[in-house]
């Protein structure tokens, strides 16, 4: 697939595939495979595809550059618009986002209590927010949750069935027809008001495409997680459970936040797989409340790199994002979303404030708290809480050295575990990886790190900014105008920013763990057997799981799990293998295709348990150094 093709709305592609006959659907994958190579970009912005001498498909995207209507895709053959050529051309183009970014709405008026100031609900506002509880919502009676409508339950049930069919097919058989069924169900979910279910389905379709096209950025583990999310959301909604966190919201809601004073923490580039790029600047209020200002638009890498110096579109502020990351704002009439994003409504007014270093001001408490406590607060919340993906934690570390694709450091605390630093964004054109590689060449370097914990890996932090540690001689030497921090996504560390060559590195601690012997509870745990079984099902479908189970004795496959005390994981894996190999017969004794629902339920049960077990191991990896080969018991 070429990223230069105009994105196509999911419902347009789903309708084109649905209109094909059964005979043409069998040919769709082959027709789509070589379609992108024949694309010709015309001067008027349209794209044409030639199929033989008589068929010419033309895609005419709208003003936003996206094909959103069926009439924007035409073919000159006699079977059009129910032809294979048109469906193949649409299938070769990338999927458009389900809901394009909308202008920020004006905040809804809220009733203020006399004598009290209205408060917002920013992410990370105090201990309650860190534990996953909204401090504002907990102070007022919760409004009753509206029950799901019959249309929503029906849409969720259809999406569950489509997801179960796609899971049973796997990547090998999850071609254009299977993807179109998911897209059709996702569009129905969108119309029924289930945006989170629709977004989960689109992630699965994009993952299937990436896997079938063998893109370098594809990870089977990511697609496995996408399937788990989709089946979980669709299954719960199909049961009729009314949960606002599962239905989701299609448009960010902003509320009045009154007057705010915020100081910049750092900025980081944003680069999505759907062609969007930009920057997000993280802010902190004096009371510890966290906010952000983002500027993300279509443009990809070029937009992400240039947005770091773009002006901040907030209440007439004269700062750019680079200045705001080291400065501050006093905001009057602020509008704030539930995630802590600051809006740019018509009544917002902002004036610049002097910046504050990390060593003092509101940022100082971020680095005074042990990293294990901050991560434990994130893990104590729901597994799918949004703040686990956006929260930043700070810690002071000592560089140990490079190990494979990550950098090993140790938190500067007694009995602290080894931490792994991975690039916040691995794109080679962004300086994250280069900066970490340069830091790794200075063992013993004391470093102040602000980053996002990777809760899918053992003791792993993805740093977005670093700075020197006050009072330590062997630390970074940053320019004074940088205010003691460097944004790893925009600024490149040079030799002059490190201790001089004649500076002596501090001696290593006695009994320190070698880089090659760094323990990894996830890698050392026998849970990898369950993970491999689940990923085998995603890659090869139901048949691959059945074949894998037939070739291994149950005691050989699940004995290590039981000996490690992971009996529930062993039972769920055995149940999944048995369900995958179930071959029902009809009344005449002939083999019949089994329903995918039972297999999907067994797969989801094993995947959910695995996610919870790995979450426990991740939490344990942050608390203290674990002897190599030791695995905490998980039940």
């Amino acid at each position: 697939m070429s990223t230069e093709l105009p994105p196509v709305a999911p419902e347009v592609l789903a309708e084109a595939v649905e209109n094909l006959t059964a005979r043409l659907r069998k040919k769709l994958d082959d027709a789509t495979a070589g379609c992108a190579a024949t694309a010709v970009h015309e001067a008027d912005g349209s794209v044409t595809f030639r199929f033989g001498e008589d068929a010419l498909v033309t895609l005419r995207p709208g003003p936003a550059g996206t094909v959103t209507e069926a009439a924007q895709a035409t073919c000159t053959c006699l079977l059009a618009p129910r032809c294979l050529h048109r469906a193949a051309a649409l299938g070769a183009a990338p999927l458009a986002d389900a809901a394009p970014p909308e202008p920020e709405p004006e905040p809804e008026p809220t009733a203020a209590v006399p004598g009290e100031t209205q408060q917002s609900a920013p992410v990370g506002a105090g201990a309650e927010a860190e534990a996953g509880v909204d401090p504002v919502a907990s102070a007022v009676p919760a409004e009753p949750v509206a029950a799901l409508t019959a249309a929503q339950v029906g849409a969720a049930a259809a999406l569950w069935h489509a997801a179960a069919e796609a899971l049973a097919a796997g990547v090998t058989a999850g071609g254009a027809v299977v993807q179109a069924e998911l897209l059709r169900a996702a569009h129905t979910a969108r119309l029924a008001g289930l945006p989170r279910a629709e977004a989960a389905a689109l992630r699965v379709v994009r993952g299937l495409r990436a896997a079938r096209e063998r893109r370098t950025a594809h990870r089977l583990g990511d697609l496995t997680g996408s399937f788990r999310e989709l089946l979980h959301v669709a299954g719960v909604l199909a049961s009729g459970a009314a949960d606002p966190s599962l239905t989701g919201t299609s448009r960010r809601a902003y509320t009045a936040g009154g007057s705010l004073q915020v100081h910049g923490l750092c900025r980081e580039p944003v680069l999505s797989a759907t062609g969007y790029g930009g920057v997000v600047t993280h802010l902190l209020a004096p009371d510890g409340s966290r906010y952000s200002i983002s500027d993300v638009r279509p443009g990809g890498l070029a937009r992400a790199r240039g947005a770091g110096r773009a002006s901040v579109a907030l209440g007439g502020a004269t700062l750019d994002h680079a200045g705001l990351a080291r400065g501050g704002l006093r905001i009057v009439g602020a509008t704030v979303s539930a995630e802590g994003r600051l809006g740019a409504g018509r009544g917002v007014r902002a004036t610049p404030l002097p910046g504050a270093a990390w060593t003092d001001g509101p940022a100082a408490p971020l680095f005074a708290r042990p990293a294990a406590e901050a991560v434990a607060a994130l893990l104590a919340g729901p597994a799918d809480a949004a703040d686990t993906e956006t929260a930043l934690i700070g810690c002071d570390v000592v560089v140990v050295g490079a190990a494979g694709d990550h950098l090993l450091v140790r938190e500067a605390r007694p009995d602290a575990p080894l931490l792994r630093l991975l690039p916040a964004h691995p794109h080679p054109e962004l300086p994250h990886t280069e900066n970490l590689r340069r830091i790794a060449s200075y063992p013993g370097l004391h470093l102040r790190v602000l980053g996002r914990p990777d809760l899918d890996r053992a003791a792993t932090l993805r740093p977005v900014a670093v700075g020197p540690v006050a009072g330590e001689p062997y630390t970074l030497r940053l320019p004074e105008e940088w205010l003691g921090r460097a944004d790893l996504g925009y600024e490149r560390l040079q030799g002059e920013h490190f201790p001089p060559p004649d500076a002596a590195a501090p001696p290593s601690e006695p009994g320190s763990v070698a880089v090659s012997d760094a323990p990894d509870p996830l890698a050392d745990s026998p849970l990898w057997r369950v993970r491999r079984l689940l990923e085998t099902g995603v890659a090869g479908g139901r048949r691959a799981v059945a074949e894998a189970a037939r070739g291994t004795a149950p005691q050989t496959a699940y004995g290590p799990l039981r000996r490690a005390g992971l009996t529930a994981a062993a039972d769920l894996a055995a149940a999944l293998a048995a369900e995958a190999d179930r071959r029902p017969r009809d009344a005449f004794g002939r083999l019949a295709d089994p329903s995918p629902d039972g297999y999907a339920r067994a797969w989801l049960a094993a995947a959910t348990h695995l996610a919870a077990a790995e979450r426990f191991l991740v939490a344990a990896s942050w608390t203290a150094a674990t002897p190599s080969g030791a695995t905490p018991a998980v039940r």
Side-chain angles (χ1 to χ4, degrees), residues 267-269 304-305 424-425 429-432 435 463-465 486-492:
R267 57 184 168 142
E268 63 173 320
R305 297 174 65 178
H425 202 294
E429 296 296 327
L430 297 176
H432 292 100
N435 283 330
V464 297
D487 298 328
L488 295 180
Y490 285 105
E491 289 149 346
R492 297 182 184 272

Side-chain angles (χ1 to χ4, degrees), residues 178-207:
V178 172
Q179 296 170 25
E181 292 296 331
L182 267 175
L183 294 178
R184 169 62 68 183
H187 182 59
T188 304
R190 178 186 182 184
L191 296 180
L194 303 175
R196 178 172 173 180
E198 181 205 16
L202 293 184
R203 282 195 297 271
V204 168
V205 173
R206 290 191 176 103

